[in-house]
Amino acid sequence: MPVSREATEYTFRLLIFSICWLAVSTAAFMDVFVFAKSRHDMKTATEEFNLEPSQRAAIYSAFYLGWLLGDPFFGWIADLWGRHPAVYSSTLLGFIFSMMGSMAVGPYSLFTVRLVAGICMGGADLVGFVYIMELSKMEQRATTASVMQGFFAMGVCLASAIAVVFPSWRQMYLVSSLPAVIFMASYFWIPESPKWLAQQLRTGKMKGSERVTNSNAEKAEEHRRLLNVAGGGGEAGAAEKGEAKEGDSEEFTYMEILQDSNVSRNLLLMCGVWLQGGFTYYGITLSAGNISKEIHLNMFLMGIVEIPAYIMCAWLADTIGRRWALISTTIGMSVFCLISWVWDTKEGRLLFALIGKIFASAVFGIIWMWSPEIFPTGARSLTTAIGSQAARVGSILAPYVVVLMEEANEAAGATAGAELKRPPLPQPVFAISALLGISCAFFLPETYDKELV
């Protein structure tokens, strides 16, 4: 049976935006190796700049701090000027500043460059996801989210491979920036989001004839079909005149979101879920070096176990719904984090930490799937940006928890005269934080099998 053109276009677009997330992930998790403690098999920035624990944790968090700032900025750009210019401009700038990390001359310049790289890559991460979700049909959304997260996991594995082949931290930054080039090469092949265009038509900010007939013939026909503006009559005619029908989504500002009790309530609850998900996902991943000394293997395994996690989260989300899928995987993550903490051997701690990472990845995958579905088109980028900001707060805190626990482990081991049998790994902290995500998820609306508004 021949594959339809529509299916081919969907597959191509999903691949392109998945590469965008691969580029973001590789750039983010390269810091695990760049800021590792002094090692004989790598030349790290920690060693070259003689970084103190507080400096190391601060620069470690710089990328995620930038991510925190970049999400709302590029989310605003995406709602104002469109998804297409927002995602490609942020990726281009992210590529430039990620490369510039290899030219840092000291801790302050390295902090600055990683901060700006995080702002830009964070924007690409957010807008890219909203963009492809709006290009996907209702029945494709779970698959879309899972594939995107799968490529994000592959970025963790790619970062590990780069660290093996290129042992100098400057080479790591240079090479890890290259996947962004592949995504940027698709600039002329990806159309603007039809849902964003339709929202602009409904609010009178754009006339159908201005956007559709100025495109090439093939794209014009696609936009006419997707936006239902062919012929200029009926619903299309109303859209051309900016006459929004009752129930049409309008563009939201920060103040309008706060004034809308339903949207603001859901956003507050979703921020709690994002915060817990980001803290545990990045915390467990970044603590790979604390579980055993094989940091390259640990990180590779932390990435590879995410693949089955996203298959699992897609199946759960389409079987028991978004809410119960998130609650069940959060409980699973907590249980295996605690088992990893109480286990006596390094091998056992690694095994159960990896299983906990599977559930933590599934939690984060469900959050990315669920959050855009809860809010209307006019507020989708902005609310997803705000939620992602909450996750960035969690990811900023995670390196501090990991570094402080590592230092506490070494201090306690030195006092005892040997390595502790049960080091103070951060897993119990991650397990306890799950209470926040579960309590917030109970009160969020279920969106399974519902069209985007």
Side-chain angles (χ1 to χ4, degrees), residues 147-394:
V147 172
M148 291 280 285
Q149 292 282 357
F151 271 77
F152 194 87
M154 289 171 60
V156 180
C157 300
L158 181 58
S160 303
I162 290 172
V164 171
V165 178
F166 301 95
S168 168
W169 69 272
R170 296 184 185 274
Q171 294 174 332
M172 293 179 197
Y173 274 152
L174 188 63
V175 177
S176 65
S177 66
L178 297 180
V181 177
I182 303 174
F183 172 73
M184 290 187 292
S186 68
Y187 180 87
F188 296 103
W189 299 331
I190 303 295
E192 182 55 89
S193 164
K195 287 189 177 293
W196 181 82
L197 291 172
Q199 190 268 339
Q200 296 296 296
L201 288 166
R202 285 195 294 264
T203 55
K205 296 183 178 180
M206 179 185 299
K207 292 183 178 180
S209 56
E210 292 176 356
R211 186 65 180 89
V212 175
T213 59
N214 289 335
S215 305
N216 59 53
E218 182 180 358
K219 191 177 292 184
E221 179 59 33
E222 177 181 310
H223 286 160
R224 286 192 181 98
R225 172 173 54 82
L226 291 172
L227 299 179
N228 194 24
V229 297
E235 182 180 345
E240 286 267 11
K241 297 173 184 176
E243 298 172 1
K245 300 194 314 178
E246 184 179 355
D248 283 345
S249 62
E250 298 179 358
E251 186 173 330
F252 283 70
T253 64
Y254 275 108
M255 287 306 299
E256 289 170 339
I257 286 175
L258 293 176
Q259 291 168 0
D260 188 310
S261 59
N262 187 47
V263 173
S264 59
R265 169 188 171 276
N266 288 339
L267 180 58
L268 181 62
L269 292 170
M270 203 70 219
C271 283
V273 175
W274 276 102
L275 175 63
Q276 180 267 324
F279 180 63
T280 53
Y281 175 84
Y282 288 97
I284 294 174
T285 305
L286 298 177
S287 64
N290 289 6
I291 299 171
S292 74
K293 299 300 181 183
E294 299 295 331
I295 187 171
H296 297 91
L297 177 60
N298 291 354
M299 276 297 292
F300 182 83
L301 292 175
M302 285 287 181
I304 207 70
V305 297
E306 292 189 34
I307 305 298
Y310 298 130
I311 297 173
M312 177 179 69
C313 83
W315 177 78
L316 283 174
D318 282 346
T319 303
I320 61 176
R322 284 28 171 174
R323 181 192 297 116
W324 286 108
L326 187 135
I327 291 172
S328 60
T329 50
T330 302
I331 293 173
M333 180 274 298
S334 300
V335 169
F336 283 102
C337 277
L338 291 174
I339 294 175
S340 172
W341 177 57
V342 301
W343 207 263
D344 290 335
T345 64
K346 286 186 177 180
E347 294 78 11
R349 288 200 297 268
L350 176 59
L351 173 62
F352 291 111
L354 289 173
I355 299 175
K357 177 64 187 300
I358 291 176
F359 284 96
S361 301
V363 169
F364 216 39
I366 294 166
I367 293 171
W368 272 105
M369 184 191 310
W370 194 10
S371 182
E373 296 177 341
I374 290 175
F375 303 100
T377 298
R380 187 168 298 121
S381 282
L382 189 55
T383 51
T384 305
I386 295 171
S388 186
Q389 278 184 292
R392 299 291 75 81
V393 172

